[in-house]
Amino acid sequence: MEETTCRVCDAPVLEFADLGDQPTANGFLLPEEVAGEFRFRLAVGACTRCRLVQLVTVVPQELRYHAGYRYHASGSASHRDHFAADARHFLEAELTGPDPFIVEIGCNDGVMLGTIAAAGVRHLGVEPSGNVADIAREKGVRVLSAFFDEDTAAAVRAEHGPADVVFGANTICHIAHMDSVFRGLDKLLTPGGVFVFEEPYLETIVSGMAFDQIYDEHVFYFSVASVQAMAERFGFELVDAERIAMHGGEVRYTIARPGARVPSERLAALLAEEESAKLNEPATLAEFGRNVARIRDDLMTLLRQLRADGKRVVGYGAPGKSSTVTNYCGIGTDLVPFVCDSTPAKQGRLLPGSHLPVRPPADFADPYPDYALLFAWNHAEEIMAKEQAFREAGGKWIRFVPDVEVI
Ligand code: SAH
Ligand code: TMP
Ligand code: ZN
């Protein structure tokens, strides 16, 4: 599994952060499943040629995506709104010909395609995790249970014809076999079709110190420059890149066949911004690696101090990110006795690796802790609004990115 050459262009990869032995971030366990838990070394590096930031070791996809996949995309109001808006955009701007067709890679519980299905437009979700695929089907979404790759794309094309849009959100960076994905796109897309994907942005991760975005599922940490190089290498052209507010800051990329669309001005602007911020340079990434270690030390000092002062700290939200933080820092139940999360599929289970129990949000108020460690920091606004009574009762929030802070 260890890889020291780039998964896209085969040049050497230079490692810049090591987050230690980690489990799969969505591998929530029942107490009896603790023995024999899977672990691997979580480390990231950057390609010395195309600059693509990537995991050094990739966990096999079947260990990450299966019928027990715990991430449900419809879990927050902001995500539901965002993907409904995406769907409306596609309906208005791209799916306007006679009998248009859209494919989503990683449709999860149908958060985006539900709106397309309701509009009566031909669509197909490609989703390997059976449990979330079934939820999508209940919403009237058509789903193929498979991993997207060249063969899947050929099969979809044979059955449904070419696609006007292939979409992916928080999924493309999960797929290690990008060469096969692009060969599949070549087979599936219409001549004027687009591949649109929204993924965590390396700039947000680096400038916001969001090191908890690094976990087994996120194989790639895209920048506009590295996506442009990847598109070119596989015979396509990056024609647009737009910053969006999801997960603390992402980029929506649009890729087309060479010459099919005019590249946007905001794409050029973002490339220039990356250049002047030295985003893709080894020194920037090496500094990020040093800062990650500083945050760990600061957070552990605070949590140990609070315990010494007799304060109760509870975790809020059990996103995949919380696995990275708790395992990298070594946060156990002695410091944070449990984490509350609104996802029923996570409740009653243990956070992978660190084994903090996950409980329903109702347990948060029973009674309120002194401090809440905000693991789901990208939903801070929604959560703090919901939990106003906690603050009114004297409770305080702890954030750890970009710095450890009590608020
Ligand atoms: N699009 C949703 C879900 C993202 S979670 C959102 O943005 O919130 C990532 C999803 O991608 C999971 O449901 C996982 O099962 C799926 N996935 C992982 N590898 C895949 C692949 N090769 N092809 C299609 N889907 C994949
Ligand atoms: P995400 O950052 O990957 O979207 O995951 C957020 C996690 O936080 C998810 O498990 C749901 C949980 N959550 C709550 O428990 N309460 C909330 O109010 C919100 C918005 C999310
Ligand atoms: Zn490369």
Side-chain angles (χ1 to χ4, degrees), residues 6-243:
C6 176
R7 278 163 205 283
V8 163
C9 82
D10 283 330
V13 165
L14 189 64
E15 188 174 315
F16 63 85
D18 181 350
L19 299 170
D21 267 356
Q22 294 266 356
T24 56
N26 275 305
F28 291 83
L29 303 159
L30 293 171
E32 60 269 26
E33 293 168 342
V34 164
E37 187 177 18
F38 175 86
R39 295 227 177 216
F40 75 110
R41 188 172 79 91
L42 180 65
V44 276
C47 174
T48 50
R49 176 163 54 203
C50 76
R51 301 296 165 198
L52 182 56
V53 172
Q54 52 199 284
L55 290 185
V56 169
T57 302
V58 170
V59 175
Q61 59 183 0
E62 291 77 12
L63 285 180
R64 295 182 273 145
Y65 313 108
H66 41 63
Y69 189 61
R70 308 264 151 225
Y71 182 70
H72 293 208
S74 297
S76 76
S78 63
H79 288 195
R80 290 192 296 274
D81 293 348
H82 172 82
F83 289 115
D86 269 0
R88 286 194 299 273
H89 164 77
F90 290 135
L91 290 169
E92 284 160 20
E94 299 287 345
L95 302 169
T96 53
D99 195 23
F101 179 46
I102 178 169
V103 171
E104 182 175 1
I105 304 176
C107 70
N108 198 270
D109 61 7
V111 66
M112 196 286 284
L113 285 181
T115 303
I116 302 281
V121 166
R122 271 199 318 130
H123 63 274
L124 184 69
V126 179
E127 175 50 68
S129 298
N131 57 329
V132 288
D134 283 341
I135 298 173
R137 291 185 182 106
E138 282 160 25
K139 295 177 183 165
V141 172
R142 186 162 184 175
V143 186
L144 174 67
S145 291
F147 287 97
F148 187 89
D149 58 16
E150 184 178 6
D151 292 345
T152 309
V156 172
R157 164 85 195 221
E159 191 182 341
H160 301 269
D164 303 283
V165 176
V166 174
F167 178 68
N170 308 297
T171 296
I172 305 310
C173 72
H174 295 218
I175 306 178
H177 48 268
M178 289 311 292
D179 50 342
S180 177
V181 166
F182 275 89
R183 286 196 301 272
L185 287 169
D186 191 31
K187 293 188 166 147
L188 186 55
L189 277 178
T190 60
V194 281
F195 173 38
V196 180
F197 56 108
E198 304 175 350
E199 308 289 320
Y201 187 24
L202 181 66
E203 194 280 332
T204 314
I205 295 172
V206 169
S207 72
M209 282 313 298
F211 68 97
D212 52 350
Q213 288 279 15
I214 300 168
Y215 53 86
D216 63 308
E217 293 182 31
H218 295 160
V219 175
F220 296 118
Y221 304 83
F222 294 130
S223 66
V224 182
S226 66
V227 168
Q228 185 179 47
M230 177 170 75
E232 240 169 68
R233 181 168 184 91
F234 295 130
F236 283 82
E237 185 180 8
L238 178 64
V239 294
D240 189 29
E242 175 190 10
R243 276 178 177 271

Side-chain angles (χ1 to χ4, degrees), residues 71 79 247 319 321 341-343 346 376 378-379 382-383 386:
Y71 182 70
H79 288 195
H247 292 287
K321 297 187 282 289
D341 190 283
S342 58
T343 316
K346 294 180 182 177
N378 50 317
H379 299 286
E382 185 174 341
I383 288 171
K386 192 185 290 181

Side-chain angles (χ1 to χ4, degrees), residues 290-359:
R290 288 190 295 274
N291 284 337
V292 172
R294 181 181 50 76
I295 291 179
R296 173 189 60 193
D297 296 345
D298 290 352
L299 182 57
M300 291 309 278
T301 302
L302 174 64
L303 292 177
R304 289 190 182 116
Q305 185 59 50
L306 292 175
R307 182 183 53 186
D309 293 346
K311 303 293 185 196
R312 253 180 95 236
V313 183
V314 162
Y316 205 106
K321 297 187 282 289
S322 64
S323 173
T324 297
V325 183
T326 56
N327 287 297
Y328 172 61
C329 298
I331 299 172
T333 49
D334 54 328
L335 295 173
V336 177
F338 70 90
V339 175
C340 59
D341 190 283
S342 58
T343 316
K346 294 180 182 177
Q347 294 161 6
R349 292 181 177 257
L350 307 174
L351 265 193
S354 57
H355 304 155
L356 308 184
V358 183
R359 298 212 202 139

